[in-house]
Amino acid sequence: MSAFASDTAASRIAPGRYAVELSDRWWVGRGPNGGYVAALMLRAMSQESESAAVATAGAGLPQPPRSLTVHFLNTPSVGVAEIEVTIERQGRSTMFLSARLIQEGEVQGKAMAVFSADRQGPSFVHTEMPEVKLPEEGEEFDTSLAPVPVFARYRAIPVLGGAPMSGGDRAETAGWLKLADEESMSPELAAAMLDVWYPAPFVAITEPAVAPTLEYTVHFPRALPIEGSGPSDWVLARLKADEAVEGHFTEDGELWTTGGVLLARCRQVALLKSVG
């Protein structure tokens, strides 16, 4: 079992209630990385969705997550917590769920998710992966040198944008990622990966800053993992922001395979605060 699988495990202790334990291996600053929290909550919601589907319709159609939105109310601490999951509406092929992350009696985060089965319908693909070097053409970054523990859990190859605080022309950055101890792609891992790369505004500014997330939404256009993928695959995380004003910014992100398949995309609203 990878460290990610172990540290996002959710144990069902009652209908709609899951025990989790937050590990500081996924920390950034004084609290956990937002993508890690999102992965924890999605793990519990996925398990509750599977349990409900089996209980009401036998094997039924798989209902993978299609959308996840998390609001970060407080900063969780290292240690045990509970996630309460509520099925807001359950249909034959679509399910809406909400969740609350609770630690020491206080709600740390709230989430909403849509799970929906594959179905017949018109289809088209207009997405295009950014033109960047492939992993074998780039130079791997020593993530043990990163200032936050969470980044050391990954391997990384920067391929787009300058270094943090370099005052670049555009707030855009991208790099190839995979877990250091490798694990096949899942919705939970996609949610974590889209938030682990340094924020796009860091490329365009010159003074040290932090960017705590307020709201984080991930969309999954296709069920994960996709056919033919494996635990050793690199994926490209690309982030960009058009502006930072009044101490806030909105960032858009995409997660791609080396073959140009879009695995997930995200949008988040975050603060941009000077340090020192």
Side-chain angles (χ1 to χ4, degrees):
M1 179 181 290
S2 71
F4 181 79
S6 174
D7 294 342
T8 58
S11 301
R12 199 169 196 250
I13 55 177
R17 289 180 58 205
Y18 294 82
V20 297
E21 185 166 355
L22 284 79
S23 168
D24 59 5
R25 289 192 284 196
W26 310 90
W27 242 235
V28 52
R30 65 185 185 90
N33 174 249
Y36 172 57
V37 174
L40 272 171
M41 300 187 78
L42 183 57
R43 184 81 73 191
M45 297 168 93
S46 295
Q47 291 180 203
E48 188 67 13
S49 171
E50 292 171 5
S51 295
V54 170
T56 59
L61 288 173
Q63 295 183 7
R66 303 292 178 175
S67 173
L68 170 72
T69 297
V70 182
H71 288 89
F72 302 93
L73 279 64
N74 290 299
T75 304
S77 303
V78 174
V80 297
E82 286 190 13
I83 298 176
E84 293 182 352
V85 182
T86 301
I87 297 175
E88 303 291 348
R89 183 180 183 276
Q90 181 178 356
R92 290 195 304 171
S93 56
T94 302
M95 193 179 302
F96 298 83
L97 301 95
S98 64
R100 302 192 307 163
L101 174 65
I102 301 171
Q103 195 172 47
E104 297 182 352
E106 292 194 9
V107 179
Q108 307 295 322
K110 290 186 176 183
M112 288 289 299
V114 180
F115 288 69
S116 187
D118 186 7
R119 63 195 76 193
Q120 296 295 319
S123 63
F124 59 89
V125 177
H126 293 163
T127 52
E128 292 186 25
M129 189 176 80
E131 294 185 8
V132 298
K133 292 180 179 179
L134 292 173
E136 58 269 23
E137 301 168 333
E139 184 175 348
E140 190 166 346
F141 171 72
D142 184 356
T143 55
S144 67
L145 302 176
V148 292
V150 63
F151 211 56
R153 305 310 311 169
Y154 293 86
R155 294 174 62 187
I157 303 173
V159 290
L160 181 66
M165 320 309 167
S166 60
D169 294 333
R170 290 191 60 82
E172 184 175 11
T173 181
W176 294 101
L177 287 169
K178 64 177 172 179
L179 285 172
D181 52 356
E182 299 188 352
E183 178 182 321
S184 294
M185 183 55 61
S186 64
E188 293 81 10
L189 182 55
M193 279 189 166
L194 276 168
D195 191 49
V196 75
W197 199 261
Y198 57 84
F202 284 11
V203 178
I205 62 178
T206 56
E207 59 183 286
V210 294
T213 304
L214 302 176
E215 179 268 332
Y216 180 50
T217 295
V218 187
H219 291 152
F220 308 96
R222 43 185 51 84
L224 300 177
I226 63 171
E227 186 177 355
S229 64
S232 63
D233 293 350
W234 289 95
V235 293
L236 179 72
R238 177 203 188 189
L239 305 174
K240 62 178 181 176
D242 293 327
E243 61 180 10
V245 294
E246 299 180 355
H248 297 74
F249 69 93
T250 299
E251 180 183 76
D252 294 298
E254 302 163 347
L255 200 66
W256 298 86
T257 70
T258 54
V261 177
L262 181 66
L263 299 174
R265 57 174 16 128
C266 71
R267 170 166 281 194
Q268 66 172 282
V269 177
L271 301 176
L272 190 61
K273 303 193 298 184
S274 298
V275 175

Short mmCIF file of all heavy atoms in Angstrom, two decimals, residues 198-257:
data_model
loop_
_atom_site.label_atom_id
_atom_site.label_comp_id
_atom_site.label_asym_id
_atom_site.label_seq_id
_atom_site.Cartn_x
_atom_site.Cartn_y
_atom_site.Cartn_z
N TYR A 198 3.07 24.11 -6.98
CA TYR A 198 3.00 25.45 -6.39
C TYR A 198 2.03 26.34 -7.17
O TYR A 198 1.89 26.22 -8.39
CB TYR A 198 4.37 26.10 -6.28
CG TYR A 198 5.16 26.22 -7.58
CD1 TYR A 198 4.95 27.28 -8.45
CD2 TYR A 198 6.14 25.28 -7.90
CE1 TYR A 198 5.68 27.40 -9.62
CE2 TYR A 198 6.87 25.40 -9.06
CZ TYR A 198 6.64 26.46 -9.92
OH TYR A 198 7.36 26.57 -11.08
N PRO A 199 1.30 27.24 -6.50
CA PRO A 199 0.27 28.05 -7.14
C PRO A 199 0.81 28.89 -8.30
O PRO A 199 1.93 29.42 -8.23
CB PRO A 199 -0.24 28.94 -6.01
CG PRO A 199 0.07 28.19 -4.76
CD PRO A 199 1.36 27.48 -5.04
N ALA A 200 0.01 29.01 -9.35
CA ALA A 200 0.43 29.77 -10.53
C ALA A 200 0.84 31.21 -10.23
O ALA A 200 1.81 31.71 -10.82
CB ALA A 200 -0.68 29.73 -11.58
N PRO A 201 0.14 31.93 -9.33
CA PRO A 201 0.56 33.32 -9.05
C PRO A 201 1.99 33.45 -8.54
O PRO A 201 2.61 34.50 -8.71
CB PRO A 201 -0.45 33.78 -7.99
CG PRO A 201 -1.67 32.98 -8.26
CD PRO A 201 -1.14 31.63 -8.66
N PHE A 202 2.53 32.39 -7.94
CA PHE A 202 3.90 32.47 -7.42
C PHE A 202 4.91 32.77 -8.53
O PHE A 202 5.96 33.36 -8.29
CB PHE A 202 4.28 31.17 -6.72
CG PHE A 202 3.68 30.98 -5.36
CD1 PHE A 202 2.67 31.82 -4.89
CD2 PHE A 202 4.12 29.97 -4.52
CE1 PHE A 202 2.12 31.66 -3.63
CE2 PHE A 202 3.58 29.80 -3.25
CZ PHE A 202 2.57 30.65 -2.81
N VAL A 203 4.59 32.36 -9.77
CA VAL A 203 5.49 32.60 -10.89
C VAL A 203 5.57 34.09 -11.23
O VAL A 203 6.60 34.59 -11.67
CB VAL A 203 5.03 31.81 -12.14
CG1 VAL A 203 5.93 32.09 -13.34
CG2 VAL A 203 5.01 30.32 -11.84
N ALA A 204 4.46 34.82 -11.03
CA ALA A 204 4.36 36.20 -11.48
C ALA A 204 4.74 37.23 -10.42
O ALA A 204 4.80 38.41 -10.72
CB ALA A 204 2.94 36.47 -11.98
N ILE A 205 4.97 36.81 -9.19
CA ILE A 205 5.29 37.76 -8.12
C ILE A 205 6.76 37.62 -7.72
O ILE A 205 7.43 36.66 -8.12
CB ILE A 205 4.38 37.56 -6.90
CG1 ILE A 205 4.56 36.15 -6.29
CG2 ILE A 205 2.91 37.77 -7.29
CD1 ILE A 205 3.72 35.89 -5.06
N THR A 206 7.24 38.58 -6.95
CA THR A 206 8.65 38.56 -6.54
C THR A 206 8.83 38.49 -5.03
O THR A 206 9.94 38.21 -4.57
CB THR A 206 9.37 39.81 -7.07
OG1 THR A 206 8.69 40.98 -6.60
CG2 THR A 206 9.39 39.82 -8.60
N GLU A 207 7.79 38.73 -4.27
CA GLU A 207 7.90 38.69 -2.83
C GLU A 207 7.31 37.39 -2.27
O GLU A 207 6.36 36.84 -2.83
CB GLU A 207 7.19 39.89 -2.19
CG GLU A 207 5.70 39.96 -2.51
CD GLU A 207 5.05 41.20 -1.92
OE1 GLU A 207 4.85 41.23 -0.70
OE2 GLU A 207 4.75 42.12 -2.70
N PRO A 208 7.86 36.86 -1.19
CA PRO A 208 7.33 35.62 -0.61
C PRO A 208 5.86 35.75 -0.24
O PRO A 208 5.43 36.79 0.25
CB PRO A 208 8.20 35.42 0.64
CG PRO A 208 9.45 36.17 0.35
CD PRO A 208 9.04 37.37 -0.46
N ALA A 209 5.10 34.71 -0.50
CA ALA A 209 3.66 34.74 -0.23
C ALA A 209 3.16 33.34 0.07
O ALA A 209 3.83 32.34 -0.21
CB ALA A 209 2.90 35.32 -1.43
N VAL A 210 1.98 33.27 0.65
CA VAL A 210 1.27 32.01 0.86
C VAL A 210 -0.08 32.12 0.18
O VAL A 210 -0.58 33.23 -0.06
CB VAL A 210 1.11 31.67 2.36
CG1 VAL A 210 2.46 31.40 2.98
CG2 VAL A 210 0.40 32.80 3.09
N ALA A 211 -0.69 30.95 -0.12
CA ALA A 211 -1.94 30.96 -0.88
C ALA A 211 -2.91 29.92 -0.32
O ALA A 211 -3.18 28.90 -0.98
CB ALA A 211 -1.67 30.71 -2.35
N PRO A 212 -3.46 30.14 0.87
CA PRO A 212 -4.43 29.18 1.42
C PRO A 212 -5.72 29.15 0.60
O PRO A 212 -6.27 30.19 0.24
CB PRO A 212 -4.68 29.70 2.84
CG PRO A 212 -4.28 31.15 2.80
CD PRO A 212 -3.20 31.26 1.79
N THR A 213 -6.18 27.95 0.31
CA THR A 213 -7.38 27.76 -0.51
C THR A 213 -8.65 27.96 0.31
O THR A 213 -8.76 27.47 1.44
CB THR A 213 -7.39 26.35 -1.12
OG1 THR A 213 -6.19 26.17 -1.87
CG2 THR A 213 -8.58 26.17 -2.05
N LEU A 214 -9.62 28.66 -0.28
CA LEU A 214 -10.93 28.84 0.34
C LEU A 214 -11.94 27.83 -0.20
O LEU A 214 -12.70 27.23 0.55
CB LEU A 214 -11.44 30.26 0.11
CG LEU A 214 -10.56 31.40 0.62
CD1 LEU A 214 -11.15 32.74 0.22
CD2 LEU A 214 -10.39 31.32 2.13
N GLU A 215 -11.94 27.68 -1.52
CA GLU A 215 -12.88 26.76 -2.18
C GLU A 215 -12.17 26.07 -3.33
O GLU A 215 -11.38 26.68 -4.04
CB GLU A 215 -14.10 27.53 -2.70
CG GLU A 215 -15.14 26.68 -3.44
CD GLU A 215 -14.90 26.65 -4.95
OE1 GLU A 215 -14.33 27.62 -5.49
OE2 GLU A 215 -15.26 25.63 -5.57
N TYR A 216 -12.43 24.76 -3.48
CA TYR A 216 -11.71 23.94 -4.46
C TYR A 216 -12.71 23.01 -5.14
O TYR A 216 -13.39 22.23 -4.47
CB TYR A 216 -10.63 23.15 -3.73
CG TYR A 216 -9.77 22.23 -4.56
CD1 TYR A 216 -9.15 22.66 -5.73
CD2 TYR A 216 -9.54 20.91 -4.15
CE1 TYR A 216 -8.34 21.81 -6.46
CE2 TYR A 216 -8.72 20.06 -4.87
CZ TYR A 216 -8.11 20.52 -6.03
OH TYR A 216 -7.31 19.68 -6.74
N THR A 217 -12.79 23.10 -6.47
CA THR A 217 -13.70 22.26 -7.24
C THR A 217 -12.92 21.45 -8.26
O THR A 217 -12.08 22.00 -8.97
CB THR A 217 -14.77 23.10 -7.96
OG1 THR A 217 -15.60 23.74 -7.00
CG2 THR A 217 -15.65 22.23 -8.85
N VAL A 218 -13.20 20.16 -8.33
CA VAL A 218 -12.56 19.27 -9.29
C VAL A 218 -13.64 18.61 -10.13
O VAL A 218 -14.64 18.11 -9.59
CB VAL A 218 -11.71 18.19 -8.60
CG1 VAL A 218 -10.92 17.39 -9.65
CG2 VAL A 218 -10.75 18.81 -7.59
N HIS A 219 -13.45 18.59 -11.45
CA HIS A 219 -14.34 17.89 -12.36
C HIS A 219 -13.59 16.71 -12.98
O HIS A 219 -12.43 16.84 -13.38
CB HIS A 219 -14.84 18.82 -13.47
CG HIS A 219 -15.78 19.87 -12.97
ND1 HIS A 219 -15.93 21.09 -13.57
CD2 HIS A 219 -16.62 19.88 -11.91
CE1 HIS A 219 -16.81 21.82 -12.91
NE2 HIS A 219 -17.25 21.09 -11.89
N PHE A 220 -14.28 15.57 -13.07
CA PHE A 220 -13.71 14.35 -13.62
C PHE A 220 -14.48 13.99 -14.89
O PHE A 220 -15.59 13.44 -14.82
CB PHE A 220 -13.82 13.21 -12.61
CG PHE A 220 -13.27 13.55 -11.24
CD1 PHE A 220 -14.11 14.01 -10.23
CD2 PHE A 220 -11.92 13.44 -10.97
CE1 PHE A 220 -13.63 14.32 -8.97
CE2 PHE A 220 -11.41 13.75 -9.72
CZ PHE A 220 -12.26 14.20 -8.71
N PRO A 221 -13.95 14.29 -16.08
CA PRO A 221 -14.68 14.04 -17.32
C PRO A 221 -14.82 12.57 -17.67
O PRO A 221 -15.69 12.19 -18.45
CB PRO A 221 -13.86 14.78 -18.38
CG PRO A 221 -12.48 14.83 -17.82
CD PRO A 221 -12.65 14.95 -16.34
N ARG A 222 -13.97 11.73 -17.10
CA ARG A 222 -14.04 10.29 -17.39
C ARG A 222 -13.69 9.51 -16.12
O ARG A 222 -13.04 10.03 -15.22
CB ARG A 222 -13.07 9.91 -18.52
CG ARG A 222 -11.71 10.58 -18.41
CD ARG A 222 -10.80 10.29 -19.59
NE ARG A 222 -11.36 10.51 -20.89
CZ ARG A 222 -11.41 11.70 -21.52
NH1 ARG A 222 -10.91 12.77 -20.93
NH2 ARG A 222 -11.93 11.79 -22.72
N ALA A 223 -14.18 8.28 -16.07
CA ALA A 223 -13.92 7.43 -14.90
C ALA A 223 -12.43 7.11 -14.80
O ALA A 223 -11.76 6.89 -15.81
CB ALA A 223 -14.73 6.14 -15.00
N LEU A 224 -11.93 7.11 -13.58
CA LEU A 224 -10.52 6.84 -13.32
C LEU A 224 -10.36 5.57 -12.49
O LEU A 224 -11.19 5.30 -11.62
CB LEU A 224 -9.88 8.02 -12.57
CG LEU A 224 -9.93 9.37 -13.29
CD1 LEU A 224 -9.34 10.47 -12.40
CD2 LEU A 224 -9.20 9.31 -14.62
N PRO A 225 -9.30 4.78 -12.75
CA PRO A 225 -8.26 5.01 -13.75
C PRO A 225 -8.73 4.68 -15.16
O PRO A 225 -9.67 3.89 -15.33
CB PRO A 225 -7.15 4.03 -13.33
CG PRO A 225 -7.90 2.90 -12.67
CD PRO A 225 -9.06 3.55 -11.96
N ILE A 226 -8.11 5.29 -16.17
CA ILE A 226 -8.49 4.99 -17.54
C ILE A 226 -7.81 3.70 -17.97
O ILE A 226 -6.80 3.28 -17.41
CB ILE A 226 -8.12 6.14 -18.51
CG1 ILE A 226 -6.60 6.37 -18.54
CG2 ILE A 226 -8.84 7.42 -18.11
CD1 ILE A 226 -6.16 7.33 -19.63
N GLU A 227 -8.36 3.06 -18.99
CA GLU A 227 -7.83 1.79 -19.47
C GLU A 227 -6.39 1.96 -19.95
O GLU A 227 -6.05 2.92 -20.64
CB GLU A 227 -8.70 1.27 -20.62
CG GLU A 227 -8.32 -0.11 -21.11
CD GLU A 227 -9.24 -0.64 -22.18
OE1 GLU A 227 -10.24 0.05 -22.49
OE2 GLU A 227 -8.96 -1.73 -22.72
N GLY A 228 -5.55 1.03 -19.56
CA GLY A 228 -4.16 1.03 -20.00
C GLY A 228 -3.22 1.82 -19.13
O GLY A 228 -2.00 1.82 -19.37
N SER A 229 -3.74 2.49 -18.11
CA SER A 229 -2.87 3.28 -17.22
C SER A 229 -2.27 2.39 -16.14
O SER A 229 -2.76 1.31 -15.86
CB SER A 229 -3.65 4.43 -16.59
OG SER A 229 -4.69 3.93 -15.76
N GLY A 230 -1.20 2.90 -15.51
CA GLY A 230 -0.54 2.12 -14.48
C GLY A 230 0.09 3.00 -13.42
O GLY A 230 0.17 4.23 -13.57
N PRO A 231 0.57 2.41 -12.33
CA PRO A 231 1.11 3.18 -11.21
C PRO A 231 2.37 3.96 -11.52
O PRO A 231 2.70 4.92 -10.83
CB PRO A 231 1.37 2.12 -10.13
CG PRO A 231 1.49 0.84 -10.88
CD PRO A 231 0.58 0.97 -12.05
N SER A 232 3.11 3.58 -12.56
CA SER A 232 4.36 4.27 -12.87
C SER A 232 4.18 5.43 -13.85
O SER A 232 5.15 6.09 -14.22
CB SER A 232 5.39 3.28 -13.45
OG SER A 232 4.92 2.73 -14.67
N ASP A 233 2.94 5.71 -14.27
CA ASP A 233 2.68 6.75 -15.26
C ASP A 233 2.93 8.15 -14.70
O ASP A 233 2.56 8.46 -13.55
CB ASP A 233 1.22 6.69 -15.73
CG ASP A 233 0.92 5.45 -16.53
OD1 ASP A 233 1.87 4.72 -16.88
OD2 ASP A 233 -0.27 5.19 -16.79
N TRP A 234 3.55 9.00 -15.51
CA TRP A 234 3.63 10.42 -15.20
C TRP A 234 2.35 11.11 -15.66
O TRP A 234 1.74 10.69 -16.66
CB TRP A 234 4.81 11.07 -15.93
CG TRP A 234 6.16 10.69 -15.44
CD1 TRP A 234 6.97 9.70 -15.94
CD2 TRP A 234 6.89 11.30 -14.37
NE1 TRP A 234 8.15 9.65 -15.23
CE2 TRP A 234 8.14 10.62 -14.27
CE3 TRP A 234 6.62 12.35 -13.49
CZ2 TRP A 234 9.10 10.97 -13.33
CZ3 TRP A 234 7.58 12.69 -12.54
CH2 TRP A 234 8.79 12.01 -12.47
N VAL A 235 1.92 12.15 -14.95
CA VAL A 235 0.79 12.96 -15.40
C VAL A 235 1.21 14.43 -15.32
O VAL A 235 2.00 14.83 -14.46
CB VAL A 235 -0.48 12.73 -14.55
CG1 VAL A 235 -1.01 11.32 -14.76
CG2 VAL A 235 -0.22 13.00 -13.08
N LEU A 236 0.66 15.22 -16.21
CA LEU A 236 1.01 16.64 -16.29
C LEU A 236 -0.02 17.48 -15.54
O LEU A 236 -1.21 17.43 -15.84
CB LEU A 236 1.05 17.09 -17.75
CG LEU A 236 1.38 18.58 -17.97
CD1 LEU A 236 2.85 18.85 -17.67
CD2 LEU A 236 1.04 19.01 -19.39
N ALA A 237 0.45 18.24 -14.56
CA ALA A 237 -0.40 19.21 -13.86
C ALA A 237 -0.08 20.60 -14.39
O ALA A 237 1.07 21.04 -14.30
CB ALA A 237 -0.15 19.14 -12.36
N ARG A 238 -1.09 21.26 -14.94
CA ARG A 238 -0.90 22.62 -15.47
C ARG A 238 -1.83 23.57 -14.72
O ARG A 238 -3.02 23.29 -14.58
CB ARG A 238 -1.23 22.66 -16.95
CG ARG A 238 -1.13 24.05 -17.58
CD ARG A 238 -1.99 24.12 -18.82
NE ARG A 238 -1.81 25.34 -19.56
CZ ARG A 238 -2.58 25.69 -20.60
NH1 ARG A 238 -3.57 24.89 -20.98
NH2 ARG A 238 -2.38 26.82 -21.23
N LEU A 239 -1.29 24.68 -14.24
CA LEU A 239 -2.06 25.66 -13.48
C LEU A 239 -1.87 27.04 -14.07
O LEU A 239 -0.78 27.40 -14.50
CB LEU A 239 -1.61 25.68 -12.01
CG LEU A 239 -1.62 24.35 -11.25
CD1 LEU A 239 -1.00 24.54 -9.87
CD2 LEU A 239 -3.03 23.79 -11.14
N LYS A 240 -2.95 27.85 -14.07
CA LYS A 240 -2.83 29.23 -14.54
C LYS A 240 -3.85 30.11 -13.82
O LYS A 240 -4.92 29.65 -13.41
CB LYS A 240 -3.03 29.33 -16.05
CG LYS A 240 -4.39 28.89 -16.56
CD LYS A 240 -4.48 29.07 -18.06
CE LYS A 240 -5.86 28.66 -18.58
NZ LYS A 240 -5.99 28.92 -20.04
N ALA A 241 -3.48 31.37 -13.66
CA ALA A 241 -4.36 32.36 -13.04
C ALA A 241 -4.27 33.64 -13.87
O ALA A 241 -3.18 34.05 -14.27
CB ALA A 241 -3.95 32.62 -11.60
N ASP A 242 -5.42 34.26 -14.13
CA ASP A 242 -5.45 35.46 -14.97
C ASP A 242 -5.21 36.74 -14.18
O ASP A 242 -4.76 37.74 -14.75
CB ASP A 242 -6.79 35.55 -15.71
CG ASP A 242 -6.95 34.44 -16.73
OD1 ASP A 242 -5.93 34.02 -17.30
OD2 ASP A 242 -8.09 33.97 -16.94
N GLU A 243 -5.54 36.74 -12.91
CA GLU A 243 -5.32 37.94 -12.11
C GLU A 243 -5.36 37.61 -10.63
O GLU A 243 -5.93 36.61 -10.21
CB GLU A 243 -6.37 39.02 -12.43
CG GLU A 243 -7.80 38.59 -12.13
CD GLU A 243 -8.81 39.68 -12.47
OE1 GLU A 243 -8.43 40.69 -13.08
OE2 GLU A 243 -9.99 39.52 -12.09
N ALA A 244 -4.72 38.48 -9.86
CA ALA A 244 -4.80 38.43 -8.40
C ALA A 244 -5.12 39.85 -7.95
O ALA A 244 -4.33 40.77 -8.17
CB ALA A 244 -3.49 37.95 -7.80
N VAL A 245 -6.29 40.03 -7.34
CA VAL A 245 -6.73 41.36 -6.91
C VAL A 245 -7.39 41.24 -5.54
O VAL A 245 -7.97 40.21 -5.20
CB VAL A 245 -7.71 42.00 -7.91
CG1 VAL A 245 -7.01 42.30 -9.23
CG2 VAL A 245 -8.91 41.10 -8.16
N GLU A 246 -7.27 42.28 -4.76
CA GLU A 246 -7.89 42.36 -3.43
C GLU A 246 -7.52 41.17 -2.55
O GLU A 246 -8.31 40.71 -1.74
CB GLU A 246 -9.41 42.49 -3.57
CG GLU A 246 -9.84 43.75 -4.32
CD GLU A 246 -11.35 43.89 -4.46
OE1 GLU A 246 -12.08 42.96 -4.06
OE2 GLU A 246 -11.78 44.94 -4.97
N GLY A 247 -6.30 40.68 -2.74
CA GLY A 247 -5.81 39.59 -1.91
C GLY A 247 -6.38 38.22 -2.24
O GLY A 247 -6.19 37.28 -1.45
N HIS A 248 -7.02 38.08 -3.40
CA HIS A 248 -7.60 36.80 -3.81
C HIS A 248 -7.22 36.51 -5.26
O HIS A 248 -6.93 37.42 -6.03
CB HIS A 248 -9.13 36.82 -3.71
CG HIS A 248 -9.67 37.02 -2.34
ND1 HIS A 248 -9.63 38.23 -1.69
CD2 HIS A 248 -10.28 36.15 -1.49
CE1 HIS A 248 -10.20 38.12 -0.50
NE2 HIS A 248 -10.59 36.86 -0.35
N PHE A 249 -7.25 35.23 -5.63
CA PHE A 249 -7.09 34.85 -7.03
C PHE A 249 -7.89 33.59 -7.31
O PHE A 249 -8.23 32.83 -6.41
CB PHE A 249 -5.61 34.63 -7.38
CG PHE A 249 -4.98 33.43 -6.73
CD1 PHE A 249 -4.95 32.20 -7.37
CD2 PHE A 249 -4.39 33.53 -5.47
CE1 PHE A 249 -4.36 31.09 -6.77
CE2 PHE A 249 -3.79 32.43 -4.87
CZ PHE A 249 -3.78 31.21 -5.52
N THR A 250 -8.21 33.41 -8.59
CA THR A 250 -8.87 32.20 -9.06
C THR A 250 -7.91 31.47 -9.99
O THR A 250 -7.35 32.07 -10.91
CB THR A 250 -10.16 32.53 -9.82
OG1 THR A 250 -11.07 33.21 -8.95
CG2 THR A 250 -10.84 31.27 -10.33
N GLU A 251 -7.71 30.21 -9.72
CA GLU A 251 -6.74 29.42 -10.48
C GLU A 251 -7.45 28.26 -11.17
O GLU A 251 -8.31 27.59 -10.58
CB GLU A 251 -5.68 28.88 -9.53
CG GLU A 251 -4.60 28.04 -10.19
CD GLU A 251 -3.64 27.48 -9.16
OE1 GLU A 251 -4.02 26.52 -8.46
OE2 GLU A 251 -2.52 28.01 -9.06
N ASP A 252 -7.08 28.01 -12.43
CA ASP A 252 -7.60 26.88 -13.19
C ASP A 252 -6.50 25.86 -13.39
O ASP A 252 -5.34 26.21 -13.64
CB ASP A 252 -8.12 27.34 -14.56
CG ASP A 252 -9.34 28.23 -14.44
OD1 ASP A 252 -10.36 27.75 -13.92
OD2 ASP A 252 -9.26 29.40 -14.85
N GLY A 253 -6.85 24.59 -13.29
CA GLY A 253 -5.86 23.53 -13.43
C GLY A 253 -6.36 22.39 -14.29
O GLY A 253 -7.57 22.18 -14.44
N GLU A 254 -5.41 21.65 -14.86
CA GLU A 254 -5.72 20.49 -15.70
C GLU A 254 -4.72 19.38 -15.38
O GLU A 254 -3.57 19.66 -15.04
CB GLU A 254 -5.59 20.85 -17.18
CG GLU A 254 -6.47 21.99 -17.64
CD GLU A 254 -6.02 22.57 -18.97
OE1 GLU A 254 -4.88 22.27 -19.41
OE2 GLU A 254 -6.80 23.35 -19.55
N LEU A 255 -5.17 18.15 -15.52
CA LEU A 255 -4.32 16.98 -15.30
C LEU A 255 -4.40 16.10 -16.54
O LEU A 255 -5.49 15.66 -16.94
CB LEU A 255 -4.80 16.20 -14.07
CG LEU A 255 -3.81 15.25 -13.41
CD1 LEU A 255 -2.64 16.03 -12.80
CD2 LEU A 255 -4.51 14.43 -12.32
N TRP A 256 -3.22 15.85 -17.17
CA TRP A 256 -3.16 15.15 -18.45
C TRP A 256 -2.26 13.91 -18.37
O TRP A 256 -1.29 13.88 -17.62
CB TRP A 256 -2.56 16.07 -19.52
CG TRP A 256 -3.33 17.31 -19.81
CD1 TRP A 256 -3.24 18.51 -19.15
CD2 TRP A 256 -4.30 17.50 -20.83
NE1 TRP A 256 -4.09 19.43 -19.71
CE2 TRP A 256 -4.76 18.83 -20.75
CE3 TRP A 256 -4.83 16.67 -21.83
CZ2 TRP A 256 -5.71 19.35 -21.61
CZ3 TRP A 256 -5.78 17.18 -22.69
CH2 TRP A 256 -6.22 18.51 -22.58
N THR A 257 -2.58 12.93 -19.22
CA THR A 257 -1.67 11.80 -19.43
C THR A 257 -0.61 12.21 -20.45
O THR A 257 -0.74 13.21 -21.15
CB THR A 257 -2.41 10.57 -19.97
OG1 THR A 257 -2.83 10.83 -21.32
CG2 THR A 257 -3.62 10.23 -19.12
#
